[in-house]
Amino acid sequence: MPALTFEQIVATLKSEHGDLIAGEDAASTMPHVLIDPVKAQSGNRFVELTTFCRDDPRLSFDLLNCLSAVDYPDRDVIEVVYMLDSTSHKHRLVLKAPLSRKEPEIPTVENVWRTADWHEREAYDLLGVRFRGHHNLVRILCAEDWEGHPLRKDYVIPEEYHGIKNVVY
Amino acid sequence: MTLENRNPDPLTKNIVFMNLVDEVINATRANSVWPLTFGLACCAIEMMATGAAKYDIDRFGSGPFRATPRQSDLMIVAGTVTHKMAPRVKRLYDQMPEPKYVIAMGGCVIRGGPYVKFGYHVVKGVDLIIPVDVYVPGCPPRPEALLEGLFKIQKLMRREKILDRTRRTTKPEIYQPV
């Protein structure tokens, strides 16, 4: 199978899961597809979409390159970014799911790509995104009893941790 | 004929012999400073280079990096100390037998380095949790600098008296892990 262009990938996605897709941006430096956060929350739809990305012979995104999250306080949004690669077709796709900043929650994709397990734990640790259905959603980088999510833009550095002063010069 | 002690100083009058003992013991100690094997970040790579053939810390008796704190004299804190790692570092230090020495290697260990302003996870200087004898600045310090730090530790050791270990025992309790 040949590599698909971004437009062809979007068309393939829309043919099966058009209701989940809120838009796309082909002109961006990183062309991406926006996922409708509300519809992705309901039931199993988002996992079906990602499984489709992985299993459909035209797309065959067998590699989750990176899963990260970005905080946009001015838009009141935390975006979860999925970067997918196809090692057989040599094409790629970026999915972005803008979640509400108050309660960022999205179904886990750890059963679709095993890579997502630790990536989702990291996104939870640093930005507080809850991945529904994750089997072990605990902090991965910060200490277990750390308070807050450090990569949020409104995070305040604690004055001390376990009696060790956090001197700020 | 009897030997006459002509030392008029009341403090040192009777310790001529002890000085000799001190010198022998200190020479043995200073020439076998065994460091503890542990590295926390990139400074550890430089520490390993110091231990390898080119810089060869073994020339100065510090070759045997011990795998247990119970056999070590020197703790080279090489690399960023995070809040998560701090209790472990403190515990390793506590498990070392006296007399023990600490080298703070690199900017991160001395005062937080590049993480000094926004590093929410970094301990701003390992001297907040354990007492440090020698600071070796650099990012990371070159092996020569670490060797210089070791020489400073050896100098400290050569100055010590076997009967007077107060310098080693009167250390402030800085931090107790929860």
Side-chain angles (χ1 to χ4, degrees), chain B residues 38-70:
Chain B
F38 88 109
L40 302 178
C42 29
C43 276
I45 305 294
E46 215 71 359
M47 186 178 72
M48 288 178 241
T50 316
K54 185 154 183 178
Y55 295 95
D56 197 11
I57 202 172
D58 226 349
R59 289 177 294 166
F60 311 104
S62 286
F65 278 85
R66 304 311 290 177
T68 160
R70 289 165 230 287

Side-chain angles (χ1 to χ4, degrees), chain B:
Chain B
M1 186 188 138
T2 54
L3 279 173
E4 188 187 354
N5 189 347
R6 293 187 182 173
N7 187 351
D9 181 11
L11 276 175
T12 55
K13 194 169 160 111
N14 295 318
I15 59 174
V16 180
F17 175 69
M18 287 316 289
N19 268 345
L20 190 66
V21 174
D22 281 341
E23 250 175 59
V24 173
I25 289 181
N26 285 347
T28 60
R29 285 176 56 220
N31 288 307
S32 62
V33 190
W34 288 1
L36 174 60
T37 312
F38 88 109
L40 302 178
C42 29
C43 276
I45 305 294
E46 215 71 359
M47 186 178 72
M48 288 178 241
T50 316
K54 185 154 183 178
Y55 295 95
D56 197 11
I57 202 172
D58 226 349
R59 289 177 294 166
F60 311 104
S62 286
F65 278 85
R66 304 311 290 177
T68 160
R70 289 165 230 287
Q71 298 171 1
S72 332
D73 312 296
L74 172 64
M75 181 182 227
I76 304 175
V77 187
T80 320
V81 184
T82 57
H83 281 301
K84 197 175 181 179
M85 189 54 89
R88 282 84 170 168
V89 174
K90 172 76 175 165
R91 169 162 295 182
L92 284 174
Y93 176 79
D94 287 343
Q95 285 175 337
M96 284 166 63
E98 292 277 3
K100 51 192 169 187
Y101 302 81
V102 177
I103 291 181
M105 181 182 180
C108 301
V109 185
I110 293 171
R111 210 43 106 225
Y115 310 102
V116 71
K117 194 155 175 71
F118 300 109
Y120 54 89
H121 60 303
V122 173
V123 177
K124 306 290 161 38
V126 78
D127 50 6
L128 291 170
I129 52 170
I130 55 176
V132 174
D133 293 284
V134 172
Y135 296 84
V136 180
C139 190
R142 285 195 55 86
E144 293 95 327
L146 182 59
L147 287 177
E148 181 70 24
L150 173 72
F151 300 156
K152 292 267 190 271
I153 292 282
Q154 290 179 333
K155 221 175 194 175
L156 276 178
M157 288 182 162
R158 292 206 176 89
R159 274 213 310 255
E160 278 176 20
K161 304 265 174 249
I162 194 168
L163 293 179
D164 178 23
R165 289 281 169 80
T166 47
R167 195 191 76 83
R168 311 280 354 141
T169 50
T170 56
K171 269 182 284 194
E173 273 309 315
I174 299 177
Y175 159 71
Q176 285 298 327
V178 184

Side-chain angles (χ1 to χ4, degrees), chain A residues 22-95:
Chain A
E24 76 258 13
D25 186 353
S28 152
T29 45
M30 190 171 70
H32 56 267
V33 171
L34 284 171
I35 303 290
D36 189 317
V38 182
K39 283 177 188 148
Q41 301 268 0
S42 61
N44 215 21
R45 296 286 288 114
F46 184 63
V47 178
E48 277 168 22
L49 167 77
T50 46
T51 313
F52 173 77
C53 288
R54 184 192 65 184
D55 291 344
D56 188 85
R58 288 163 294 172
L59 300 177
S60 180
F61 288 113
D62 49 0
L63 176 70
L64 177 65
N65 223 333
C66 183
L67 190 163
S68 54
V70 193
D71 187 12
Y72 295 106
D74 43 334
R75 281 162 50 201
D76 207 29
V77 147
I78 285 181
E79 260 182 6
V80 182
V81 186
Y82 301 82
M83 301 175 107
L84 312 179
D85 258 327
S86 169
T87 53
S88 52
H89 297 2
K90 315 282 185 209
H91 59 208
R92 51 177 44 180
L93 172 67
V94 175
L95 299 175

Side-chain angles (χ1 to χ4, degrees), chain A residues 7-33:
Chain A
E7 285 72 23
Q8 288 170 317
I9 293 172
V10 174
T12 316
L13 278 179
K14 277 188 172 165
S15 68
E16 296 278 332
H17 296 275
D19 56 321
L20 270 180
I21 290 162
E24 76 258 13
D25 186 353
S28 152
T29 45
M30 190 171 70
H32 56 267
V33 171

